[in-house]
Amino acid sequence: MRLIPKDVESLWTLFTAPTVWALHFLACYVTAAVFCAKAGVAPFSFEAMRLALGVVTLVALSGIVLSAYLAWRQWGFGSGDPPHDEPTRKDRLLFQGFATLLLSGLSFVAVVFGAVPLLFIGACQP
């Protein structure tokens, strides 16, 4: 039994990792901005917010890793070297898999950089 269906190799996979990064970025910064704007009113502490956003970060990173795995599989597990510039379906799928893998790596790094402030900011500044 296959855990990942074979037909996931579509153009939508190209946008998965950047979309996960964008949603993570919005979740982190909107949550922190609203929490700090309403300081003292929130029913939870700053540490609880940091912990929740840490969980959101781990979920985002796991989604990006899954996207990277699917891209690596679509690329043929690295069996074909770029450039994939022939006008064939095979080269198009290899190029798409390689491009998706690169976007997944970039999105992974962007999520990590977006989460770094959670480690260093100890409280909201008035």
Side-chain angles (χ1 to χ4, degrees):
M1 182 178 156
R2 292 179 65 105
L3 295 176
I4 301 169
K6 187 173 174 99
D7 61 349
V8 296
E9 298 161 348
S10 72
L11 192 57
W12 291 108
T13 59
L14 186 66
F15 304 113
T16 303
T19 301
V20 169
W21 163 76
L23 292 174
H24 173 266
F25 184 83
L26 284 172
C28 285
Y29 284 90
V30 168
T31 302
V34 169
F35 181 86
C36 288
K38 303 204 179 263
V41 179
F44 49 88
S45 68
F46 189 78
E47 292 300 318
M49 182 196 66
R50 284 174 56 178
L51 182 63
L53 290 177
V55 169
V56 168
T57 299
L58 291 177
V59 169
L61 289 175
S62 60
I64 290 171
V65 166
L66 176 63
S67 175
Y69 172 75
L70 293 174
W72 187 48
R73 189 185 78 176
Q74 183 177 353
W75 186 37
F77 298 104
S79 64
D81 290 332
H84 306 292
D85 55 359
E86 296 295 320
T88 62
R89 175 173 167 71
K90 180 181 183 236
D91 267 9
R92 183 182 58 80
L93 287 174
L94 290 174
F95 174 78
Q96 180 183 335
F98 186 60
T100 303
L101 185 62
L102 293 176
L103 277 173
S104 295
L106 181 64
S107 298
F108 189 93
V109 171
V111 166
V112 170
F113 282 172
V116 165
L118 294 174
L119 300 174
F120 296 110
I121 298 176
C124 297
Q125 299 297 319

